[in-house]
Amino acid sequence: MSIRLHNTLTRQKDQLDAQPGFDSNNVRMYCCGPTVYDYAHIGNARPVIVFDVLYRLLRHVYGADHVTYVRNITDIDDKINARAAETAKAKGISVEQARVEITTKTAQQYLDDVAALGCLMPNHTPRATEYVAGMIEMIGELIAAGHAYAAEGHVLYDVSSKSDYGKLSRRSLDEMMAGARVEVAPYKKNPMDFVLWKPSDDQTPGWESPWGRGRPGWHIECSVMGGKLLGDTFDIHGGGVDLMFPHHENEIAQSEGCHHGKPLANIWMHNGFLQVEGEKMSKSLGNFITINELLKDWPGEVLRLNMLRTHYRQPIDWTLAGLKESHRTLEHWYNTAAPQAGAVPAAFLDALEDDLNTPKAIAELHQADPAGMAGALHLMGFSVDPAQIALKLSEGVSPAEIEAQIAARTAARKAKNFKESDRIRDELLSKGIVLKDGPTGTTWEVTK
RNA sequence: GGCCACGUGGCGGAGUGGUUACGCAACGGUCUGCAAAACCGUGUACUCCGGUUCAAUUCCGGACGUGGCCUCCA
């Protein structure tokens, strides 16, 4: 079997290796990464984990050296600028200094969080500010090609210049205009035209350009970074469903407009949204959870499994009950899996190759023998190290302390002093430590 | 208002035009000083209403419900 992926462009499962120009020696994937101005939340973690599994699958099938994965970091953006302006004022530094400070710190935090979720580093994690020259160049080409125009210090993409604009999200220009609720800027030829470049005042980060000092629009960075690092056309482009329109639609318009209609990506993948305890996650509801907060209570692997128990295109309801079940399941696997990874079970691989069907794959995992289970866990990005998960969860109680208590309890049991032995067991249980008496002695585990 | 997803047993969650998903929880059992873990056994669900069909949870239509996008939120 070969890898089949649901393609937003065609609204069906398409075979990856049957796409035009597919090269098994050079499989290329791009995913939209974070805008770095604050801690990433659990919703941000979903595409990272999902596409990490895809990356691992591609590496497994085609070889680690034949897959290139790019995930950008957006470090220039008006939300960042707003934060930078506040920080600059508070600290008495320049806005640009503040911007660099905020984005550097937040980007590092993001990479740390994501590593804790068991995600591999992509081959490239380009930052938008490193590609501004390329953006200016592409904007110039778009103007030359008749797809863009300059007006009042802005450069805008002329959506009417591309007849298939809207093909990804399947909207026509007429529909979009009918549904438009946005106030239209006076310098736009068409209400749906979007910004490629906009002017910056002295208090706002900016770069010199043929259209004056300014900064790039949101979409152009991905077109440039994807093109520079992966070529005009690459195999897979991923991101959250919310990015389908306008972000991805506009990326397509820019890249294809610049590359004489050559497709930007063959397969477009979009992961579904996440809710928390049945409600939409929002700051006003107070259920806005960052990855960082969750990592204080749970091993990254539990968060990872919890995410993968739901198919990536389905909505997922993030709940405490779900986390507990994921933890339990992981502990079970870690107790069962062999220390050395064996061959990946065929049924497990088939499930992953069928549009990344992780719930099905997990079901197959339960049926695997210990060696196959370890191989499957490894492929999905789990360490198969029970000590790691136990230690992470047992914060507050040291393993040495637990061992001492176990020794005391063993002595009590030998003396048939079960009252004392049960007291010790209950005391540990109240701290979240569960004891298990096996044929070779007593072991312990952390419960939630 | 326009467009688009989704609705499976107590819970999570695959899948299928007619045969047991799987997991968690629950219950019974083995084991254990008692437990926990492990192992064995027990569960015929598919929002509602029409239609197509020998047969629909699975196909078509409608209703209701939930969520998303259209507003630089993954």
Side-chain angles (χ1 to χ4, degrees):
Chain A
M1 288 299 254
S2 59
I3 297 175
R4 288 141 286 147
L5 300 168
H6 181 89
N7 188 353
T8 307
L9 271 176
T10 60
R11 309 281 159 129
Q12 62 183 22
K13 281 182 200 171
D14 289 338
Q15 200 173 315
L16 176 64
D17 60 16
Q19 297 302 306
F22 179 82
D23 177 2
S24 61
N25 288 311
N26 182 24
V27 183
R28 294 146 298 161
M29 171 163 85
Y30 185 96
C31 291
C32 291
T35 300
V36 284
Y37 64 100
D38 206 345
Y39 286 102
H41 58 69
I42 189 62
N44 295 304
R46 191 170 193 190
V48 182
I49 293 171
V50 163
F51 293 108
D52 181 67
V53 172
L54 180 56
Y55 181 43
R56 288 170 184 272
L57 175 66
L58 291 170
R59 286 160 61 99
H60 177 80
V61 172
Y62 296 107
D65 296 336
H66 302 299
V67 183
T68 308
Y69 175 25
V70 177
R71 187 182 61 215
N72 69 291
I73 287 176
T74 299
D75 60 353
I76 177 67
D77 163 274
D78 284 353
K79 283 193 296 292
I80 295 172
N81 292 343
R83 289 284 172 102
E86 289 169 23
T87 305
K89 206 172 174 185
K91 290 191 173 179
I93 56 177
S94 79
V95 176
E96 177 58 14
Q97 273 178 311
R99 186 194 65 76
V100 170
E101 196 175 287
I102 290 168
T103 56
T104 305
K105 190 177 145 206
T106 311
Q108 191 53 52
Q109 178 66 243
Y110 172 80
L111 293 176
D112 291 346
D113 285 348
V114 159
L117 295 175
C119 297
L120 298 171
M121 250 325 243
N123 298 279
H124 303 281
T125 51
R127 289 166 204 231
T129 50
E130 296 162 357
Y131 287 83
V132 174
M135 297 185 217
I136 291 171
E137 190 186 334
M138 183 179 256
I139 292 168
E141 286 169 21
L142 283 169
I143 293 174
H147 286 300
Y149 58 94
E152 298 181 28
H154 293 71
V155 180
L156 293 134
Y157 191 97
D158 179 1
V159 294
S160 69
S161 72
K162 198 161 184 301
S163 57
D164 60 358
Y165 183 75
K167 66 179 171 185
L168 181 69
S169 53
R170 303 225 171 161
R171 301 158 197 240
S172 68
L173 273 178
D174 290 346
E175 271 172 21
M176 287 189 259
M177 294 207 268
R181 295 174 179 176
V182 217
E183 204 175 313
V184 181
Y187 46 80
K188 286 190 179 181
K189 282 187 191 169
N190 184 307
M192 300 313 295
D193 288 351
F194 59 91
V195 172
L196 298 172
W197 189 263
K198 52 188 164 186
S200 291
D201 61 27
D202 294 343
Q203 300 308 308
T204 308
W207 289 259
E208 290 306 327
S209 82
W211 315 283
R213 185 173 175 280
R215 58 197 193 280
W218 176 33
H219 318 294
I220 192 74
E221 55 171 277
C222 286
S223 283
V224 171
M225 292 186 279
K228 296 273 186 203
L229 293 166
L230 295 174
D232 291 356
T233 300
F234 45 88
D235 302 291
I236 299 166
H237 190 128
V241 272
D242 59 313
L243 293 180
M244 194 166 96
F245 188 91
H247 185 54
H248 291 160
E249 198 71 71
N250 291 349
E251 267 184 65
I252 289 174
Q254 293 163 347
S255 294
E256 296 187 359
C258 198
H259 300 142
H260 312 289
K262 277 157 77 179
L264 171 56
N266 287 320
I267 295 184
W268 286 81
M269 295 174 68
H270 291 97
N271 62 270
F273 251 55
L274 174 148
Q275 284 186 278
V276 172
E277 303 289 350
E279 287 187 308
K280 181 174 176 168
M281 180 166 68
S282 73
K283 281 181 177 162
S284 57
L285 284 171
N287 60 356
F288 199 88
I289 323 171
T290 65
I291 301 172
N292 202 250
E293 283 166 347
L294 280 167
L295 283 170
K296 287 174 186 160
D297 291 334
W298 299 93
E301 286 167 301
V302 171
L303 306 182
R304 184 179 180 89
L305 176 60
N306 199 239
M307 202 67 91
L308 295 175
R309 291 196 315 153
T310 302
H311 183 85
Y312 76 93
R313 284 192 283 117
Q314 293 286 117
I316 177 171
D317 189 13
W318 190 268
T319 63
L320 182 60
L323 283 166
K324 284 181 178 172
E325 191 178 326
S326 295
H327 170 241
R328 212 185 165 81
T329 299
L330 209 50
E331 227 164 32
H332 173 70
W333 284 343
Y334 284 8
N335 286 331
T336 310
Q340 287 295 315
V344 176
F348 175 86
L349 192 59
D350 281 350
L352 284 188
E353 291 190 333
D354 183 12
D355 194 30
L356 228 54
N357 193 340
T358 52
K360 178 86 189 306
I362 287 167
E364 298 297 346
L365 188 47
H366 280 285
Q367 311 307 314
D369 61 41
M373 181 180 278
L377 283 168
H378 185 73
L379 173 53
M380 225 169 18
F382 294 94
S383 70
V384 201
D385 179 2
Q388 191 171 324
I389 187 169
L391 285 175
K392 173 68 193 177
L393 277 165
S394 64
E395 281 177 87
V397 198
S398 76
E401 201 178 314
I402 296 166
E403 292 302 334
Q405 294 277 62
I406 288 175
R409 176 168 168 272
T410 303
R413 288 179 70 210
K414 253 187 182 154
K416 304 262 187 219
N417 184 354
F418 296 123
K419 200 177 168 188
E420 172 63 7
S421 69
D422 287 353
R423 188 196 64 74
I424 295 172
R425 184 170 66 195
D426 291 344
E427 187 187 322
L428 283 173
L429 185 61
S430 71
K431 292 175 181 170
I433 308 297
V434 171
L435 297 186
K436 298 189 292 188
D437 298 329
T440 56
T442 301
T443 57
W444 57 276
E445 229 166 53
V446 183
T447 184
K448 270 275 177 185

